[in-house]
Amino acid sequence: MCKKFIISALSILLLASCSETKYVADGDYLLDRVQVKSDTKAADINPAAMKQFVRQRSNVRWFSAFKIPLRTYSLSGRDTTRWINRTLRSIGEPPVIYDFAKTRQSMQNIVQQMHNKGYLRADVDVYNKIRGKKISLLYLLRPGKEFFIRNVHYEIQDSLIATLLQMDNHENRGLRKGMVFNIDNLDAERKRITDILVNRGYYRFNKDFISYRADSVVGTTDVDLTLVLHRYRSGEQTGLHHRQYTIRQVTFRSGNPNDSVIHLRPNILQANTFIRPGELYAANGLQTTYNHFGRLGAVRYTNIAFREHPDSALLDCDISITTNKPSTISFQPEGTNTAGDLGAAASLTYQNRNLFHGSEALSIELRGAYEAITGLEGYSNSNFLEYSVQTKLTFPRFIAPFLSSAFRRRVNATSQVSLLYDLQNRPEFLRRVFSVGWRYNWNDPSRHDRYQLDLLDLNFISMPWISEKFYSEYLMNAAKRNALLFYNYQDLFILRAGFRYAYNNGRYAFKTNIESGGNLLNLMAHTFGFHRNQEGDYTFLDVAFAQYVKGDFEYTRNFQLDYRNQLVFHFGLGIAYPYGNSRELPFEKTYFSGGANSVRGWSVRSLGPGGYKDDDDSYKYLMHVGDMKLDLNLEYRTHLFWKLGGALFIDAGNVWKIRTDELQEEGTFRLSSFWKQIAVSYGLGFRFNFDYFILRFDMGMKAVNPAYTSSKEHYPILHPKFSRDFAFHFAVGLPF
């Protein structure tokens, strides 16, 4: 440990001591820092946003502080025939040499952007500070005052379009007196008018047919504005009326080079086509057709072309469909790590993307897994084996009554039925799970919302065998008996329904989920007088059923600091409550904390509930769960070089029990004291972004530990101990 620390310290000192200006020639300057500030707080002028228009940026700073890539480059020697020098230069970054011409271009770009924002008298000054061979630049923005529209006039030169738009009615205008005179407002009006016309048959219309005349009033910040919609022009022909086109016919063609047949039913082709013969051409119908064919798994490419019918305002539409191979077989190995127990798994999947020639997707997955369990004593073996078969059939549409055709046409939807049979063989018990589900997923392509409705999700959990040792020591031992353990090691029915909603616009996102289980069975039990077991619970087919309600909410906010750095805040809250026929939650519905997506100073399922401290690690993954969860995360992300990114993070949270448990009294949620039991950790992470997926490595350290026996354990940030407080996580994808 000491040796590694010394090597790391020497490496840091070597990088720090290496001159950043080693490869800066005499007379040149290293561009050390670039800042953008404003002399006033203008409404639409954000200096941080204006920095993107600077043509020359300084060398990359890791976490906005350390020029590690430049220092790495500076470590190289001048002899490029040596591999070590070439390697250091390839992974490093050469110095950015100050270029005055790019500074002038940057000034012009910034001024133009401020003009576009409505600050027509804006200017920018550049100040520099030179220290040795380094130069720092400050772009000082001087926006001045905004200009506003005083009068606006619409000059529609095409009489047919003028009648259609009815711009004489001021309510139909997008530009009004008092609006800021900026490029965003002007472009928005051009786009609004263009969208109206291209969805009313004007196939050849585009926003270039719309221009503006603007006259500023001397001595004021007022502008008199005229929008001009020009008549059609083509080649030498000018002054024509714009044509309004109608669809004459729609033809489907196969895009497969060796197959002239489209392997989709005619009604599927028609249902996903929103271009209709006899209707006016509409750009929205074109885009919606692309969207709907694009979501069909059987379709690889879609190409839609229009042909003008000679000497008429008619269009012929040709839709070329290229389909995928209907069947595929894939094999996927994977590594597993369950609460520190390592293992391996493999899955074999067969998929048919076009089962009934309607792009219905059938998948059959066979999976096997093995783990070597540590820490178990007194059992005949220490292996965990799992085998499962899962079948899913997905329809690319709603299969449900009472839905309007307009709603079906507007949204992208799938309906899915699934079957699963899973066998788990552990040294302590055998567990069998059979589940069947029916769910809907849909979204509107023009919005950022996504919905999921789990109409039916039935799970039957069977425990055909439990070892005598596990039964006597954990289920029947009065000193260790945990109500959650006892409840979840019996046969159980879970019949649930749920609804999920997610919104994500790139800057902030939130997800919510609510589900309820057992209510239908409980109603039937009271109505038909179902049998009760020895615990007093109603049973269905002689098996008790779970009854609970569960709700989750997550909020994520992304603050883009600049093109390389962002700050991400995440908040998560979940509450589940058993009632009626249940006194405990099914284990799959409980919450756990710690791990790669939670409080990263703890390994998965090792934190909580509350201040609970478990001295027996044999079944900690069963003990560190709760009915309520809180997560708070703050993560600073930065791009380092190549495909490598870094992150600094602070996590906080825990899980709690809602009902008091005699074995875990310190795990009960109490409003007056729960905040004292919030665990806190901090750490460093690295991410390899390979576009299609992200590999993530996070290293967390405990800062505040709610489960402690001494003050040193309570505040490990003041008394760190690597072997006790460190946790390493490997995951795929970002944590939130």
Side-chain angles (χ1 to χ4, degrees):
M1 181 68 187
C2 182
K3 183 179 179 181
K4 291 182 178 179
F5 176 79
I6 293 174
I7 293 175
S8 300
L10 289 175
S11 300
I12 294 172
L13 288 174
L14 182 62
L15 286 174
S17 63
C18 190
S19 174
E20 295 178 353
T21 59
K22 177 180 178 180
Y23 288 105
V24 178
D26 292 339
D28 289 336
Y29 295 99
L30 172 71
L31 185 57
D32 186 50
R33 189 178 294 273
V34 176
Q35 294 178 290
V36 179
K37 296 182 179 180
S38 177
D39 67 348
T40 59
K41 291 185 177 181
D44 292 331
I45 303 299
N46 182 354
M50 287 294 176
K51 197 170 183 178
Q52 65 180 304
F53 300 101
V54 175
R55 297 292 296 271
Q56 193 176 31
R57 297 184 175 95
S58 60
N59 284 96
V60 172
R61 295 175 184 265
W62 284 14
F63 302 105
S64 300
F66 310 105
K67 294 183 181 179
I68 302 300
L70 173 59
R71 294 180 182 275
T72 302
Y73 186 94
S74 299
L75 283 173
S76 67
R78 300 183 183 275
D79 185 0
T80 57
T81 62
R82 299 182 61 186
W83 70 268
I84 183 63
N85 293 332
R86 295 196 304 272
T87 301
L88 289 171
R89 292 190 178 197
S90 65
I91 65 176
E93 183 187 34
V96 176
I97 305 302
Y98 170 65
D99 187 334
F100 177 72
K102 290 183 178 179
T103 300
R104 290 189 62 87
Q105 291 176 349
S106 301
M107 296 172 65
Q108 294 171 2
N109 293 344
I110 293 174
V111 169
Q112 183 60 51
Q113 186 61 22
M114 288 192 289
H115 287 175
N116 292 343
K117 294 286 186 181
Y119 297 85
L120 301 186
R121 295 174 184 154
D123 200 0
V124 60
D125 292 327
V126 176
Y127 299 93
N128 63 63
K129 183 178 181 180
I130 298 176
R131 291 184 302 173
K133 285 189 173 184
K134 295 182 180 181
I135 185 171
S136 298
L137 299 182
L138 169 63
Y139 290 83
L140 184 61
L141 312 182
R142 304 187 188 279
K145 294 182 178 181
E146 283 181 294
F147 277 64
F148 296 88
I149 298 173
R150 185 179 70 168
N151 296 306
V152 60
H153 174 66
Y154 283 73
E155 184 181 311
I156 311 299
Q157 298 179 355
D158 188 306
S159 59
L160 297 178
I161 291 180
T163 302
L164 175 64
L165 297 178
Q166 295 181 348
M167 287 304 180
D168 292 337
N169 184 348
H170 286 233
E171 294 182 358
N172 294 332
R173 297 181 176 185
L175 295 173
R176 294 179 176 83
K177 179 180 179 180
M179 292 182 68
V180 176
F181 178 73
N182 62 35
I183 198 70
D184 292 337
N185 288 334
L186 302 186
D187 277 349
E189 181 64 353
R190 293 174 75 196
K191 182 179 183 303
R192 188 186 71 86
I193 294 175
T194 301
D195 287 346
I196 292 174
L197 296 179
V198 297
N199 286 299
R200 298 287 184 89
Y202 289 91
Y203 168 65
R204 290 196 169 277
F205 192 88
N206 60 70
K207 66 179 184 179
D208 290 336
F209 286 107
I210 301 175
S211 64
Y212 290 99
R213 293 196 303 265
D215 296 316
S216 59
V217 181
V218 178
T220 71
T221 57
D222 293 332
V223 175
D224 291 333
L225 183 67
T226 300
L227 180 147
V228 182
L229 192 152
H230 301 274
R231 300 187 75 176
Y232 184 74
R233 56 187 180 274
S234 176
E236 296 181 356
Q237 293 181 313
T238 59
L240 304 176
H241 281 290
H242 293 271
R243 273 187 174 182
Q244 201 170 19
Y245 287 84
T246 301
I247 304 298
R248 187 177 78 111
Q249 66 179 16
V250 178
T251 304
F252 296 97
R253 306 179 187 276
S254 172
N256 297 76
N258 301 320
D259 192 348
S260 60
V261 178
I262 303 176
H263 297 281
L264 290 169
R265 299 195 306 272
N267 66 316
I268 296 298
L269 296 175
Q270 295 294 336
N272 289 280
T273 301
F274 298 85
I275 304 167
R276 306 279 193 247
E279 295 182 357
L280 291 174
Y281 166 83
N284 283 344
L286 172 63
Q287 188 58 52
T288 304
T289 301
Y290 270 119
N291 290 340
H292 277 250
F293 276 111
R295 68 186 175 87
L296 300 182
V299 176
R300 177 182 291 182
Y301 304 116
T302 305
N303 183 56
I304 304 176
F306 293 93
R307 291 179 287 109
E308 293 186 49
H309 201 263
D311 301 323
S312 71
L314 298 175
L315 289 176
D316 290 337
C317 177
D318 295 327
I319 301 179
S320 178
I321 305 292
T322 304
T323 54
N324 285 306
K325 293 181 179 180
S327 301
T328 59
I329 296 178
S330 61
F331 175 78
Q332 182 178 359
E334 60 184 274
T336 63
N337 185 344
T338 304
D341 296 329
L342 301 178
S347 60
L348 182 68
T349 305
Y350 166 80
Q351 186 176 36
N352 188 316
R353 298 188 180 95
N354 198 19
L355 184 64
F356 304 123
H357 297 291
S359 195
E360 299 87 358
L362 171 70
S363 68
I364 302 174
E365 179 185 283
L366 304 176
R367 186 177 186 273
Y370 166 83
E371 283 183 359
I373 302 175
T374 58
L376 287 182
E377 297 181 0
Y379 293 93
S380 59
N381 67 78
S382 59
N383 300 325
F384 168 59
L385 296 173
E386 181 179 13
Y387 308 95
S388 66
V389 56
Q390 184 174 27
T391 301
K392 295 180 181 178
L393 179 59
T394 304
F395 301 87
R397 55 193 176 277
F398 270 115
I399 299 181
F402 314 119
L403 294 176
S404 68
S405 58
F407 177 74
R408 292 176 188 268
R409 289 165 61 92
R410 188 174 70 251
V411 303
N412 290 338
T414 61
S415 306
Q416 184 185 87
V417 60
S418 61
L419 294 170
L420 169 70
Y421 185 61
D422 184 68
L423 297 88
Q424 303 172 15
N425 297 341
R426 288 185 60 96
E428 318 96 302
F429 54 82
L430 302 180
R431 193 168 186 257
R432 307 289 183 257
V433 179
F434 173 78
S435 67
V436 58
W438 179 265
R439 62 180 51 90
Y440 299 101
N441 290 275
W442 72 95
N443 70 287
D444 187 333
S446 63
R447 301 172 62 88
H448 303 287
D449 311 86
R450 291 187 175 274
Y451 306 86
Q452 177 176 313
L453 174 63
D454 295 328
L455 189 64
L456 171 69
D457 190 352
L458 173 64
N459 293 267
F460 171 57
I461 302 170
S462 172
M463 304 292 299
W465 175 81
I466 297 177
S467 72
E468 189 64 33
K469 177 179 176 62
F470 183 79
Y471 185 79
S472 60
E473 288 193 5
Y474 288 93
L475 300 186
M476 300 307 295
N477 188 328
K480 295 183 178 181
R481 177 167 173 171
N482 182 293
L484 178 64
L485 286 177
F486 188 80
Y487 179 74
N488 279 279
Y489 284 91
Q490 302 180 62
D491 294 351
L492 187 65
F493 264 117
I494 305 175
L495 178 62
R496 59 172 286 273
F499 178 76
R500 297 181 184 181
Y501 171 75
Y503 178 90
N504 188 342
N505 66 2
R507 291 180 292 109
Y508 61 88
F510 58 87
K511 296 185 291 186
T512 184
N513 170 65
I514 185 167
E515 65 178 78
S516 178
N519 291 330
L520 179 60
L521 288 176
N522 192 61
L523 177 62
M524 294 172 60
H526 283 85
T527 303
F528 300 106
F530 284 6
H531 173 70
R532 292 180 182 265
N533 61 17
Q534 294 180 353
E535 302 291 329
D537 300 328
Y538 283 112
T539 63
F540 175 67
L541 301 178
D542 290 329
V543 176
F545 58 86
Q547 191 173 8
Y548 67 94
V549 64
K550 181 178 182 180
D552 300 277
F553 177 80
E554 289 187 54
Y555 173 79
T556 304
R557 181 69 168 90
N558 188 329
F559 300 92
Q560 194 69 38
L561 305 179
D562 55 43
Y563 74 107
R564 302 182 66 90
N565 301 280
Q566 56 183 306
L567 187 67
V568 184
F569 169 75
H570 172 258
F571 167 79
L573 177 66
I575 302 176
Y577 186 73
Y579 64 96
N581 209 51
S582 298
R583 289 167 297 282
E584 295 290 339
L585 288 171
F587 181 73
E588 289 79 2
K589 303 302 176 182
T590 58
Y591 296 100
F592 63 89
S593 193
N597 299 322
S598 185
V599 187
R600 284 166 279 186
W602 280 259
S603 58
V604 64
R605 297 185 185 274
S606 63
L607 172 61
Y612 172 72
K613 183 176 178 62
D614 189 5
D615 297 326
D616 184 359
D617 291 337
S618 299
Y619 298 97
K620 65 180 181 180
Y621 72 97
L622 297 171
M623 303 297 289
H624 294 280
V625 296
D627 311 319
M628 178 179 177
K629 180 178 181 178
L630 174 66
D631 269 331
L632 292 166
N633 312 88
L634 188 65
E635 184 166 290
Y636 175 83
R637 298 171 183 169
T638 186
H639 176 71
L640 301 179
F641 64 91
W642 186 53
K643 296 183 180 296
L644 180 64
L648 298 173
F649 57 83
I650 299 174
D651 302 323
N654 207 332
V655 294
W656 290 270
K657 295 274 190 177
I658 293 180
R659 295 180 177 179
T660 302
D661 187 328
E662 293 182 358
L663 296 180
Q664 297 179 310
E665 290 187 2
E666 59 271 63
T668 304
F669 178 83
R670 294 181 174 86
L671 191 61
S672 60
S673 60
F674 83 95
W675 56 274
K676 299 178 182 178
Q677 298 173 332
I678 294 178
V680 181
S681 68
Y682 61 95
L684 168 70
F686 295 97
R687 290 93 168 87
F688 289 90
N689 188 342
F690 295 102
D691 297 330
Y692 293 104
F693 64 95
I694 296 175
L695 295 181
R696 174 162 56 94
F697 303 89
D698 285 337
M699 295 163 284
M701 288 287 290
K702 297 180 180 65
V704 179
N705 187 356
Y708 60 92
T709 55
S710 65
S711 60
K712 289 185 177 181
E713 287 184 343
H714 191 193
Y715 297 105
I717 190 172
L718 302 177
H719 310 280
K721 183 178 180 182
F722 188 84
S723 60
R724 178 194 65 195
D725 302 324
F726 176 78
F728 175 78
H729 306 283
F730 167 72
V732 177
L734 296 174
F736 40 80

